[in-house]
Amino acid sequence: VQLQASGGGLVQAGGSLRLSCAASGLAFSRYTVGWFRQAPGKERDLVAGIAWTGGNAYYPDSVKGRFTISRDNAKKTVYLQMNSLKPEDTAVYYCAARAGTLVATKSYDYWGQGTLVTVSS
């Protein structure tokens, strides 16, 4: 199983980025997917997730209204659209996949390698 994240970079505060995560080696359409981030010295936190069954996506209050997760099962890809970025969004972003429908958990089965997002003030 491989999850390949891309799309990170340097952006000014207020700007936007779209992260992509291409999956291979798993029945992607049957996996819940999520995006996590980890800033230096901090824990890795879930910032968006969506179950394989569809339904409402999960977002913590810190990103709600600014971040949007979506998935294209035909392309085996999950996206994270990030708008109105803030310096505190600076972190390494990881995509992850897990069997089952639970989204809001840190217990994911597979992890991508991470992509760095830096938001300058």
Side-chain angles (χ1 to χ4, degrees):
V1 175
Q2 282 195 325
L3 299 175
Q4 184 72 36
S6 61
L10 174 64
V11 63
Q12 288 189 330
S16 299
L17 278 176
R18 189 176 81 153
L19 307 183
S20 299
C21 176
S24 60
L26 77 170
F28 180 78
S29 63
R30 300 299 296 269
Y31 277 75
T32 289
V33 290
W35 285 96
F36 290 75
R37 69 183 180 189
Q38 187 168 22
K42 296 189 176 181
E43 292 187 356
R44 188 175 299 187
D45 293 323
L46 179 67
V47 296
I50 186 166
W52 70 269
T53 51
N56 293 331
Y58 166 84
Y59 305 97
D61 289 343
S62 58
V63 307
K64 196 172 293 183
R66 300 189 298 121
F67 289 13
T68 303
I69 187 172
S70 61
R71 62 190 298 163
D72 185 333
N73 289 336
K75 294 183 178 180
K76 296 187 175 182
T77 301
V78 57
Y79 304 98
L80 184 66
Q81 179 66 44
M82 304 185 294
N83 299 328
S84 302
L85 283 162
K86 305 174 182 180
E88 51 263 43
D89 295 318
T90 294
V92 177
Y93 283 70
Y94 300 87
C95 57
R98 69 181 308 275
T101 58
L102 182 62
V103 175
T105 173
K106 292 186 178 182
S107 181
Y108 275 63
D109 302 314
Y110 304 106
W111 294 84
Q113 86 287 2
T115 185
L116 177 62
V117 172
T118 303
V119 184
S120 63
S121 58

